[in-house]
C-alpha cells in the first residue's frame, strides 16, 4: 500500500510542475553522473567536483540502509573520474568478532566515464564507463555503454552493461527517463537491469549559494526484491574548481601586425612604403614560426625629457613598493624601461604579480615607442624574463589584443646604457620572515578500523632569507584533533603528529649554465625519530617550459641509533600548457626504503589541480590527489614579514590494486624536505614558462584590473 501511495503522490507532483532547463551533471547514488541508480551519457562539467552521501548500500545480493560516500570530478571535457566508499558502519572494527558476525563491508573503489566525441550532440550522447576499476576486492565491478537523448525537458537513457555485482544492477539492458520539471526539480523513473525505481532530485536555488557551489537533495523509491527499505536518501555538493574569475576571462584578440622600424634613432620619419613592406614581412615571419617574436623599437617617438622619465620611474617604483614587491630596481633610457623585481606577495600564482607589474608599467610609462624588459627573481636567483613593446601591451590592457611578448627562462640582465633609479627603498627581502600556516592530515580511509581515521594538526613553516638564494627554514606542528584509532595505545598511534619542531634546515638555491637550477637542503628532520641529513635537487626546464627533468639525492643519518637512509629519484615531466595538463614519470628509492616508480597525470583548474596517479613500490596503488591553494591571491604583507597560507596544499586517497588484500600503507614514495622544491620555489609549480604564460594571457589583464586599486 505504501508503494502505491508514493507512486500516486509523485505522479500528481509531476503533473503540476512547470518545465524548465535541464542540469546535465546530476550525480547518481553510485558516484557516476546519471539518474539515481543508472548512468547516463553525460559527464561531470569540466572543472566540477562532486561529493555525495547517501544511505542506499549494496551488500552482496541485498540493498540495505548503510553509508555511501562518493566523489566525482570532470577532469576535462567528456571525461570524469571518481570514487566511492561503501560501508555498513562508520566506526566498527571489522577485525572484532562482533563485526565479523554482522557480515559488514567497507570498500573503496574508483570509477571513470568517457563521453565519445564523434557523435553529434544533436543526435544523442554516447558514453562508456567502468565502476570499481582495478581494486583488490571488486565488489562493485561493472562495465557499461550508454546513450542519452534530450527531448524537450526529458532525457531518455538506454544502455547495456556487464557486472559481477550480486544485486545484478547494470547486468544487461537498462533504461530510464529523467524529467527536468523546473530549474530546481527533476524526477526520474528507471530500470537498472534487475529492478525498477523512481526518484526525485531537488536543487537548492543558486541565488541562495555562492557562485561556485551547488547543493541538491535526492530521494529514491527502490522496488528491489532484496531491498531492506523502500526509500533511500542522498545529498550532493558540487564545487566549481575553475572559479568564475578564471573561466570568464575575456579571450585575447589576434595580435595586430607590429611595426619593425629599423631607421636611425635620430630620424623619426619613416617611408610609408618601407613601413608597409616591413609589416608584411613581419606578419609572414610570425606565422611561419608559430609564435610571436620580439621586435625592438629603434625610433624614439615621444618628446619626454630625461627629468620627466626619471619622475615617471620614481612614481612607478613607489607604486610597486606599495604593492609589497621586494628588491625592486627600475632602469630607463629614452627608448626602454627595465625592471628587476621579486614577488613574495602573490604566492597563489605568479602570473598575478606579472600582470600587476606590467599593467602598472604601461600606465606609468605612457610614452610611444618604448620597449620594456621585466626580470622576475627569487632572492636574486633569476626566474623568468619578459620583453615587449609598451604600445602593444597598452593595447592589450585597453582592448584585449594579444601582445607580442618574448619570454624566456634563460635570463640575461643588462645594465649598460640605462639610468637606474636609486631614490628610496628597494624593500630588501633579507631577514624578513615569511610564515606559512596550513592544516596537516595523516589519515586512514575505508580501512577495517573505520571509514575515516585521522590525525589533524596545524603546521607552521617559518622561512628567513639571509643572502642570495639562501634561507633558514623551521617547521613545526601542533596537534588539533585525532580519531580514536590515533590515540595512545591504538593501532595508528605511531603515525600521529608530533607536537613541536619537525625540521630545521638551511636551504640554498642557485642557477648554473644551460638553464640548470639547483637546490640543497641540509639540517634536522623528524620522522618517527630524529635524523641529520641533506637532500639535493637539480632541475632543467626547456626554454618554452614544455620539458622538465629533475634528479634528487639525499642521505639521512639516525640520531637515536646507528643507521642511515639514502634516497634518490629521477623524474621527467611534459607540460601541455594549452590544455592545463602535465604528464610525469618518476623512478627511484624513497625515504621509507620503498623503491619503484610513479606515473601521474595532473589537470589544472585555475590554481587548483587534480592528479591521477599509479604507484608501484612495495605494492601497486591507484590514487587521486587534490591540490588547492589555502591562501588568497594576494597575501598579507607588512614591513616586518609576510603571513600566508600554503599555496599547494594537497590531499590524496588511494587504493591497492592487483592484490587480494587492500592492506593499509603509510608514507610510500615519500621524499623528506618536500615542502620546498625548485618547481614550487622558482617555477610557480612548473607554470612559470613561456608556454604557460602565452596560453594564459587573459589572466595578466584580469590581475591588473583586479589589483590596481
Amino acid at each position: 500500500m505504501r508503494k502505491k501511495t508514493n507512486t500516486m503522490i509523485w505522479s500528481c507532483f509531476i503533473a503540476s510542475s512547470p518545465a524548465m532547463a535541464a542540469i546535465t551533471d546530476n550525480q547518481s547514488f553510485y558516484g557516476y553522473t546519471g539518474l539515481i541508480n543508472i548512468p547516463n551519457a553525460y559527464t561531470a562539467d569540466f572543472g566540477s567536483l562532486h561529493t555525495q552521501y547517501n544511505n542506499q548500500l549494496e551488500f552482496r545480493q541485498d540493498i540495505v540502509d548503510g553509508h555511501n560516500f562518493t566523489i566525482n570530478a570532470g577532469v576535462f571535457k567528456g571525461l570524469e573520474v571518481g570514487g566511492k566508499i561503501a560501508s555498513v558502519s562508520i566506526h566498527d572494527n571489522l577485525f572484532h568478532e562482533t563485526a565479523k558476525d554482522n557480515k559488514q563491508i567497507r570498500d573503496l573503489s574508483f570509477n571513470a566515464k568517457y563521453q565519445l566525441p564523434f557523435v553529434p550532440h544533436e543526435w544523442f550522447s554516447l558514453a562508456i564507463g567502468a565502476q570499481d576499476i582495478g581494486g583488490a576486492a571488486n565488489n562493485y565491478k561493472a562495465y557499461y555503454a550508454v546513450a542519452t537523448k534530450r527531448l524537450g525537458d526529458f532525457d531518455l537513457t538506454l544502455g547495456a552493461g556487464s557486472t559481477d555485482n550480486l544485486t545484478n544492477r547494470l547486468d544487461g539492458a537498462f533504461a530510464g527517463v529523467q524529467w527536468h520539471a523546473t530549474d530546481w526539480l527533476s524526477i526520474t523513473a528507471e530500470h537498472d537491469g534487475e529492478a525498477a525505481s523512481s526518484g526525485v532530485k531537488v536543487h537548492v536555488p543558486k541565488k541562495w549559494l555562492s557562485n561556485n557551489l551547488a547543493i541538491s537533495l535526492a530521494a529514491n523509491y527502490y522496488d528491489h526484491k532484496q531491498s531492506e527499505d523502500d526509500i533511500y536518501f542522498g545529498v550532493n555538493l558540487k564545487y566549481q574548481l575553475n572559479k568564475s574569475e578564471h573561466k570568464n576571462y575575456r579571450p585575447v584578440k589576434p595580435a595586430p601586425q607590429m611595426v619593425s622600424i629599423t631607421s636611425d634613432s635620430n630620424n623619426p620619419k619613416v617611408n610609408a612604403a618601407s613601413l608597409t613592406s616591413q609589416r608584411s614581412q613581419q606578419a609572414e615571419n610570425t606565422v611561419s614560426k608559430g609564435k610571436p617574436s620580439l621586435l625592438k623599437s629603434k625610433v624614439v617617438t615621444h618628446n619626454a625629457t630625461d627629468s620627466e622619465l626619471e619622475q615617471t620611474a620614481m612614481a612607478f617604483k613607489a607604486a610597486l613598493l606599495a604593492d609589497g614587491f621586494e628588491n625592486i630596481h627600475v632602469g630607463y633610457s629614452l627608448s626602454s624601461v627595465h625592471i628587476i623585481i621579486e614577488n613574495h606577495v602573490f604566492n597563489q600564482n605568479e602570473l598575478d604579480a606579472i600582470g600587476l607589474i606590467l599593467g602598472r608599467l604601461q600606465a606609468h610609462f605612457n610614452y610611444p615607442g618604448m620597449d620594456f624588459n621585466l626580470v622576475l627573481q627569487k632572492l636574486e636567483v633569476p626566474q623568468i624574463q619578459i620583453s615587449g613593446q609598451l604600445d602593444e601591451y597598452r593595447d592589450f590592457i585597453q582592448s584585449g589584443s594579444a601582445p607580442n611578448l618574448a619570454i624566456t627562462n634563460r635570463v640575461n640582465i643588462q645594465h649598460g646604457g640605462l639610468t637606474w633609479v636609486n631614490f628610496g627603498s628597494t624593500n630588501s627581502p633579507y631577514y624578513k620572515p615569511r610564515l606559512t600556516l596550513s592544516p596537516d592530515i595523516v589519515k586512514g580511509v575505508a580501512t577495517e578500523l573505520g571509514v575515516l581515521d585521522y590525525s589533524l594538526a596545524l603546521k607552521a613553516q617559518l622561512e628567513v632569507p639571509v643572502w642570495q638564494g639562501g634561507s633558514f627554514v623551521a617547521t613545526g606542528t601542533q596537534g588539533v584533533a585525532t580519531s580514536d584509532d590515533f590515540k595512545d595505545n591504538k593501532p595508528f598511534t605511531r603515525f600521529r603528529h608530533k607536537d613541536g619542531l619537525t625540521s630545521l634546515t638551511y636551504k640554498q638555491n642557485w642557477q648554473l649554465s644551460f638553464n640548470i637550477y639547483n637546490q640543497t637542503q641540509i639540517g634536522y628532520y623528524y620522522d618517527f625519530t630524529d635524523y641529520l641529513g641533506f637532500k639535493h635537487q637539480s632541475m632543467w626546464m626547456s626554454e618554452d617550459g614544455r620539458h622538465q627533468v629533475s634528479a634528487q639525492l639525499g642521505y639521512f643519518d639516525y640520531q637515536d641509533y646507528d643507521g642511515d637512509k639514502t634516497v634518490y629519484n629521477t623524474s621527467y615531466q611534459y607540460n601541455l600548457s594549452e590544455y592545463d595538463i602535465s604528464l610525469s614519470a618518476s623512478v627511484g628509492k624513497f625515504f621509507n626504503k620503498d623503491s619503484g616508480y610513479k606515473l601521474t597525470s595532473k589537470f589544472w583548474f585555475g590554481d587548483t589541480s587534480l592528479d591521477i596517479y599509479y604507484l608501484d613500490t612495495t605494492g601497486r596503488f591507484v590514487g587521486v590527489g587534490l591540490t588547492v591553494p589555502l591562501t588568497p591571491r594576494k597575501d598579507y604583507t607588512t614591513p616586518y614579514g609576510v603571513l600566508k597560507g600554503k599555496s599547494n596544499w594537497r590531499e590524496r586517497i588511494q587504493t591497492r590494486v592487483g592484490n587480494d588484500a587492500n592492506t593499509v600503507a603509510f608514507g610510500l614514495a615519500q621524499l623528506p624536505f618536500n615542502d620546498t622544491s625548485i618547481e614550487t620555489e622558482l617555477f610557480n609549480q612548473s607554470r612559470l614558462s613561456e608556454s604557460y604564460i602565452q596560453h594564459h594571457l587573459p589572466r595578466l589583464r584580469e590581475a591588473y584590473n583586479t589589483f590596481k586599486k
Side-chain angles (χ1 to χ4, degrees), residues 422-447:
N422 295 317
F423 179 79
S425 169
T426 63
N427 197 10
S428 171
Y430 299 116
Y431 299 100
K432 184 180 291 185
R434 294 110 177 23
L435 179 62
T436 303
L437 301 176
S438 64
D440 196 64
I441 302 174
V442 179
K443 63 188 181 303
V445 178
T447 70

Side-chain angles (χ1 to χ4, degrees), residues 327-377:
N327 220 359
I328 305 168
H329 300 277
V330 179
Y332 65 91
S333 68
L334 290 177
S335 60
S336 65
V337 57
H338 291 234
I339 310 99
I340 304 172
I341 196 168
E342 298 196 14
N343 165 48
H344 296 274
V345 61
F346 291 92
N347 295 293
Q348 191 176 124
N349 192 327
E350 299 217 46
L351 258 65
D352 291 337
I354 295 171
L356 182 57
I357 294 166
L358 293 183
R360 293 210 184 281
L361 178 64
Q362 61 82 31
H364 280 80
F365 283 86
N366 193 9
Y367 306 118
M370 293 192 72
D371 302 323
F372 69 84
N373 187 63
L374 169 65
V375 173
L376 205 63
Q377 298 187 136

